[in-house]
Amino acid sequence: MQDGEAALNFIHEHRRGAQKLEPCVILIDLYLPIYDGIAILRAIRQETTLEHIKVMVLTTLASPSQETEIAGMGAFYRRKPSALNDIIELASEIIELCKNSSTMPQRVLVD
């Protein structure tokens, strides 16, 4: 998705039943254009059709209060990897989240 508005549209489509995709994990950039990742995370947690899905918020820098807020909403906070080993480690973690998900892994949705 290109920005926070597109992410909110995805959430609203789920509410209306128009979106059939059930992701096993949702990756959100903390600093999305239009609406930030925390606003999107709040919307996900308020939507009953999505509230059970694991969410990972990625960024290069988050304040301690942002990290606390993300954790308080039951999401994972991770720094965006820059080295190949870190990318592999993050990918492995995402795969494990999908394996342990209550939804059948159909697709990993990346913002």
Side-chain angles (χ1 to χ4, degrees), residues 4-96:
E5 188 171 20
L8 284 179
N9 286 337
F10 173 83
I11 294 165
H12 295 308
E13 287 176 4
H14 260 275
R15 180 178 304 130
R16 291 190 324 262
Q19 181 58 256
K20 302 300 180 199
L21 177 64
E22 179 77 8
C24 59
V25 64
I26 298 174
L27 305 179
I28 305 171
D29 190 313
L30 183 59
Y31 297 104
L32 288 169
I34 304 175
Y35 299 101
D36 70 12
I38 290 178
I40 302 305
L41 178 57
R42 272 192 213 106
I44 290 168
R45 292 302 184 230
Q46 293 172 356
E47 178 51 51
T48 57
T49 62
L50 296 172
E51 65 185 357
H52 65 283
I53 296 174
K54 294 175 175 135
V55 178
M56 184 179 288
V57 179
L58 301 166
T59 187
T60 53
L61 181 63
S63 70
S65 64
Q66 287 171 317
E67 289 181 34
T68 301
E69 190 171 6
I70 291 164
M73 288 188 272
F76 302 93
Y77 161 74
R78 298 293 182 269
R79 288 184 183 236
K80 287 183 180 178
S82 57
L84 179 59
N85 287 341
D86 295 335
I87 293 169
I88 292 168
E89 185 177 313
L90 178 62
S92 295
E93 186 175 358
I94 293 166
I95 290 167
E96 284 303 311

